[in-house]
Structure formats: C-alpha cells, structure tokens
Amino acid sequence: MSTTKTIHSALISVFSKDGLEPIVRKLHEQNVTLYSTGGTEDFIKNLGIPVVAVEDVTSYPSILGGRVKTLHPKIFGGILNRQDNETDAQQMEEFQIPQIDLVIVDLYPFEKTVVSGASEADIIEKIDIGGISLIRAAAKNFKDTVIVASMNEYSLLLDLISTQNGATTLENRRLLATKAFHVSSHYDTAIFNYFNTDDTIYKQSIANGQVLRYGENPHQKGFFFGDFDAMFEKLHGKELSYNNLLDVDAAVNLILEFKNEAPTFAILKHNNACGIATRNSMKEAYSAALACDPTSAFGGVLIANQEIDKATANEINALFCEVVIAPSYDEEAIAILSEKKNRIILVQHEVDLPQQQVRTCLNGLLVQDKNNITDNKEHLKTVTTTVPTAEQIEDLLFASKICKNTKSNTIVLAKNNTLIASGTGQTSRVDALKQAIEKAATFGFDLHGLVMASDAFFPFPDCVEIAKEAGVTAVIQPGGSIKDALSIDYCNENKVAMVFTGTRHFKH
C-alpha cells in the first residue's frame, strides 16, 4: 500500500481560531469532508462552508456542559483504524464508522489560565480531555492519519496541502506526530506541576529551545532552553554565546542583591565579579568598579541596577566588553554603546526567576532551592568585644552579597562599598585570602581599613591572622566551626570586629 495519503476527511476541534480560515477554505476547495463541534463548527458554518456535526456521526449530543463531545468509538475508530488491516476495515463497515484522515486540535490554554491568576475551578476547566485524546490517537496512527496538534503548525499544514494537493507522505505524518507528542507531553507536564507537591519528583518541559553557535568550547554543541525574549530586549550586537549566557545569568543574580539600592555597577568575568561598586551616580559606580581590576574587565559582562546615561556610556565605550545590561538607557547612551558592532546591549525586564536550580550530575540531575537569603543587619550577631561601626556594617553586607555570588572557596575584601579584591574557586580558604590580598596589592589599593567576607566558617584562626596583618578591621562570616572561639579570641586580642550571620553561602 502506498505511504502517500490524500486527505478526504478532517475533524477540526480547536480553542483558538486564529489562522484557521485559510486551512478550512483550502480543505473545502479540495472537497474534504469536514467534521466539527461547538464553537469550531459555528466558525466553519459562518465561513459558508459545509460541516458535519460530530453528534450527527455519533448520534449522541454534547453533554456535561461540553466536557464530553468527541469521546466516542465512531470518532476514535475513524482516527485509529489501520487501513491495511482487513479486520479493521470490516469493523469500519460493520459499525458505519467514517474514515478521518486529518485531525486538527488546539488545546484549551491551561498554562495561560494558571498564569492569569484564575480560580482553581477555572483552571480545572481548562484541562483538555477530548483534545488531548484526539492528539494521542491520531499521532499513534500516523501511518494513516495526519495530526496537527497546535496552531503553531497551521502554516506547515497549509503549505503541505497546498503544494501537495491534499496529499501527505509518511515522513510528513511522522514529523507532525512527533510535534503532537511534544504538545501532549508538555501539556501533561504543566498540569502535573500545577498539582504536584512532592519535591522528590521532578518534571520539566521547555518548548522554545534556541540553538547556540556552540557550547563552552567550539567543538561542543550548545542550546538554550528558556524564554530569553521575556527577560531581555536586545537592542544591538551579535548573538549571545553559551558562555555569554552563563555570565549574564551570574550578572543578573549578583545585581539582584542590589535591587532598589543606590547606583551600583558590576563587571563580571567567568561568572565572578571582577569589579563592583555602589556610588551616588552610575558613572561614579562604573569608574570605581572598573578600577577594581581593569585587566580582567577586558571582554567582560557589565550590568547596572539603574539606567545607564550618556556620561556612563562614554566611559564604557572605551572598554572592550561583550555585553552591557541595564533596566533602561537614555537614547544618547544607546547610540554611544552601539558604536561597537558586536557589543551586545540588553534591556533587562522584571520577570520571575526560577526558584529551583538544576544541573546534570553523574547519570541524573541535582535540583536545589535557589539561595534566596541575602544577609542583612537583622542577621548579624557581633561575637567580638570590638563592635563594628555603621560604616563597617555597610561594607560587610556589601561584601557578603558579592561573596554569596562568587565561586567557592571565596574571600571578598571590600571598602567604601567597593570590591577591592576576591579570591575565587580556591581549594582552601587561606589560598582564597592570599589570592585576594595579592590581587589588591597588584592594583595599588590601600588595604588598611578593609572588611573581609567569607562564604563559610573559618576552621582555624589562620585566616583572621593573615587578614589582620593585611589591614582588615572587620569580618563577616557564617560561624559554626567547633573552633570558632580561636578566631574570636584572636580578633578580640587585636581589636578586629567580627559578626556571624548563621548562613553559609557556598557556590560550586
């Protein structure tokens, strides 16, 4: 039997009628018998095109307020019958079941209804039963039946039936069946996640994957699954790479710590801040952030917590950077920053970020809650006889925010709401501190009066000893070591203030 099938009959049952009219007219032009129900049936009739009501086929009305319309053997038999099976053919004739060659479905908008904040009763009513059943049936029988499971495929169907005169190949039908199974699995995942309260079960379905130029390195394939356009408006520049996106993610999470605060500017490289400062103006914040480490800033990702103006843009324009991110820009700033052809300029929108973090591990996944704790004054417990000043507390909290968003083991040195230096990703906390001190000295910073933040407790007093010798006068750390007293005693003896937060901020 030929694998090319000509469409002679179609069942159409859709929620959204957008884009449907050209298909209906083309099918009518090709003498295809149309079957439908409810609002779709009325839509087709209003086009002046003949349509057979499903209830005329089943001899059964739509019942339960429209909950049951197409769920009937005469409908599903017409979809699921195997045309090369003699027994199926005999039963089709015996029970007077009409052949259905094409099924077009657009499901009730369950996800949109959830997002809209509708009541649970309204959400439950948007769980499609008949539509999802039609999709699965037609997709299963793709050897004989064409399935269009979403309005997203209307243009593909219209192209196929127009260029092939109503005929489809097995490859066409298999492709559409694949798309249909994606629609059904995505739909079921959304429903499950709405109801699920068991954190030990993880299901996710993301429909809008984007092919990247490559992955972390040119020999690796790379993809991004997410709604980038909902989060950013891209004003200028080349396409973002895999590594760009990782840096953008790190930048967004870091600057979120400074939301609704004074002008703050950060420069990131390889997911860590190499410069960040808070000042009275964005230009001052950028200049101070750049001064932290102008060498690492080359080719970095820049982010601001407020609008970037002309004066700031002029300063930025002297630096080669990959990406600039801000909630807004003035027009002159956009013109200036766009002078570099490949520089990516992003406007960041306020969207809800995922509250779980997911990464591959071994032959599975690791899933955890996002670290949503930002240390504040209420969290601080002074454990030394020397009490930190108001200015030191401000710097300690500033340093803690950076520390939380820097790869462990990490030590952050700060002064006057400015990152002075950090030690990142070291295998010991002492090494992280030594790295930070050496880096600060390299760029000529005055180390006297610094504050120090640590992402985890000090197992020994060596870190506070080294820090004191370098010029640190106040320390913030989680506490919790069985030898906390050794660090506290040293700080007391040397008039160094130290506060505990009670919260560790590892970032691996």
Side-chain angles (χ1 to χ4, degrees):
M1 181 177 289
S2 172
T3 60
T4 298
K5 304 282 185 178
T6 299
I7 297 169
H8 297 291
S9 57
L11 171 62
I12 307 176
S13 180
V14 300
F15 180 83
S16 175
K17 315 302 186 293
D18 293 345
L20 185 62
E21 180 177 347
I23 294 173
V24 172
R25 292 196 182 279
K26 178 57 69 173
L27 292 172
H28 176 58
E29 179 185 312
Q30 294 174 344
N31 297 315
V32 174
T33 301
L34 304 180
Y35 299 94
S36 193
T37 63
T40 309
E41 180 187 348
D42 292 338
F43 175 82
I44 296 171
K45 284 179 179 178
N46 290 335
L47 295 177
I49 292 173
V51 57
V52 179
V54 164
E55 61 186 54
D56 291 341
V57 176
T58 63
S59 299
Y60 217 96
S62 171
I63 62 171
L64 307 181
R67 281 188 165 196
V68 180
K69 298 190 285 284
T70 57
L71 297 168
H72 194 280
K74 281 198 171 183
I75 298 302
F76 282 84
I79 295 169
L80 282 164
N81 75 92
R82 296 157 291 186
Q83 294 180 19
D84 59 353
N85 183 292
E86 185 176 342
T87 301
D88 283 9
Q90 289 173 352
Q91 290 185 339
M92 292 283 286
E93 184 175 354
E94 178 183 356
F95 296 109
Q96 298 182 326
I97 299 173
Q99 179 68 45
I100 297 175
D101 302 316
L102 165 65
V103 176
I104 303 176
V105 174
D106 183 61
L107 297 169
Y108 292 157
F110 177 82
E111 289 179 279
K112 289 183 179 178
T113 305
V114 172
V115 171
S116 74
S119 67
E120 180 163 279
D122 289 338
I123 290 170
I124 298 302
E125 285 308 309
K126 287 298 185 291
I127 298 176
D128 207 314
I129 303 301
I132 207 78
S133 302
L134 292 171
I135 288 172
R136 291 182 66 85
K140 175 178 179 176
N141 201 34
F142 70 89
K143 287 187 177 180
D144 292 314
T145 309
V146 182
I147 174 63
V148 173
S150 164
M151 62 182 295
N152 295 330
E153 311 308 330
Y154 285 0
S155 60
L156 173 58
L157 174 65
L158 184 60
D159 181 64
L160 286 176
I161 61 178
S162 299
T163 59
Q164 298 175 185
N165 197 29
T168 60
T169 65
L170 181 61
E171 290 73 19
N172 297 151
R173 297 192 297 279
R174 179 184 286 273
L175 172 63
L176 286 165
T178 302
K179 292 176 179 290
F181 282 126
H182 166 65
V183 168
S184 65
S185 65
H186 181 83
Y187 198 75
D188 285 342
T189 297
I191 295 170
F192 170 79
N193 284 333
Y194 172 75
F195 285 99
N196 182 44
T197 57
D198 184 350
D199 290 338
T200 66
I201 302 174
Y202 179 79
K203 293 182 186 291
Q204 187 62 267
S205 176
I206 304 175
N208 49 345
Q210 176 184 345
V211 179
L212 303 174
R213 294 198 302 273
Y214 51 80
E216 203 161 8
N217 298 290
H219 62 277
Q220 296 170 268
K221 291 182 179 179
F223 307 87
F224 172 69
F225 292 91
D227 192 352
F228 185 85
D229 291 340
M231 189 162 183
F232 298 102
E233 179 186 356
K234 183 181 166 193
L235 302 180
H236 180 76
K238 62 184 179 181
E239 293 302 312
L240 281 90
S241 68
Y242 181 98
N243 292 331
N244 287 155
L245 289 169
L246 285 175
D247 281 331
V248 168
D249 176 69
V252 165
N253 283 298
L254 174 58
I255 211 68
L256 189 61
E257 308 284 350
F258 299 90
K259 184 179 179 181
N260 300 323
E261 295 192 10
T264 301
F265 206 106
I267 305 172
L268 289 90
K269 197 74 172 290
H270 298 294
N271 307 159
N272 293 313
C274 59
I276 179 169
T278 299
R279 291 292 187 272
N280 292 323
S281 73
M282 195 56 70
K283 178 184 175 182
E284 292 173 328
Y286 169 74
S287 297
L290 179 63
C292 296
D293 183 351
T295 302
S296 295
F298 182 85
V301 168
L302 282 57
I303 190 164
N305 71 339
Q306 295 182 21
E307 181 172 278
I308 291 179
D309 56 15
K310 177 184 176 182
T312 309
N314 275 322
E315 296 296 319
I316 293 172
N317 208 32
L319 175 72
F320 168 73
C321 58
E322 290 275 345
V323 186
V324 182
I325 310 165
S328 61
Y329 305 79
D330 68 31
E331 290 187 14
E332 290 176 299
I334 294 172
I336 293 165
L337 294 173
S338 299
E339 290 175 5
K340 301 292 172 64
K341 178 182 177 183
N342 290 326
R343 179 184 286 149
I344 300 164
I345 305 173
L346 300 177
V347 176
Q348 182 182 347
H349 304 310
E350 280 201 42
V351 299
D352 292 331
L353 295 174
Q355 293 305 301
Q356 285 187 320
Q357 294 175 315
V358 183
R359 66 193 298 180
T360 58
C361 181
L362 302 176
N363 61 348
L365 300 173
L366 283 173
V367 181
Q368 68 170 351
D369 294 337
K370 190 174 182 180
N371 183 359
N372 282 327
I373 294 179
T374 297
D375 296 329
N376 59 49
K377 290 180 182 179
E378 287 69 34
H379 297 152
L380 303 184
K381 177 184 178 183
T382 301
V383 294
T384 52
T385 53
T386 300
V387 177
T389 66
E391 291 77 11
Q392 286 176 325
I393 288 175
E394 187 175 347
D395 278 344
L396 288 168
L397 293 174
F398 176 87
S400 173
K401 292 175 183 179
I402 303 168
C403 201
K404 169 187 168 183
N405 289 276
T406 304
K407 187 173 178 62
S408 299
N409 283 324
T410 185
I411 291 289
V412 169
L413 303 178
K415 186 177 181 181
N416 298 330
N417 285 320
T418 306
L419 171 64
I420 301 302
S422 59
T424 64
Q426 298 303 302
T427 52
S428 83
R429 203 154 300 281
V430 170
D431 285 344
L433 175 56
K434 288 179 177 179
Q435 182 191 49
I437 292 170
E438 181 180 351
K439 193 170 185 180
T442 298
F443 292 107
F445 286 105
D446 176 10
L447 304 188
H448 178 72
L450 291 176
V451 305
M452 175 175 74
S454 174
D455 58 341
F457 62 64
F458 299 124
F460 304 102
D462 45 10
C463 275
V464 290
E465 293 170 6
I466 297 168
K468 162 62 179 174
E469 291 301 314
V472 168
T473 56
V475 178
I476 185 170
Q477 59 136 319
S481 169
I482 59 173
K483 296 184 178 181
D484 275 343
L486 297 178
S487 295
I488 294 171
D489 289 345
Y490 179 85
C491 288
N492 283 334
E493 292 166 8
N494 291 275
K495 294 183 172 51
V496 174
M498 185 157 65
V499 297
F500 285 1
T501 64
T503 302
R504 188 180 74 184
H505 288 298
F506 272 160
K507 183 174 184 284
H508 291 110

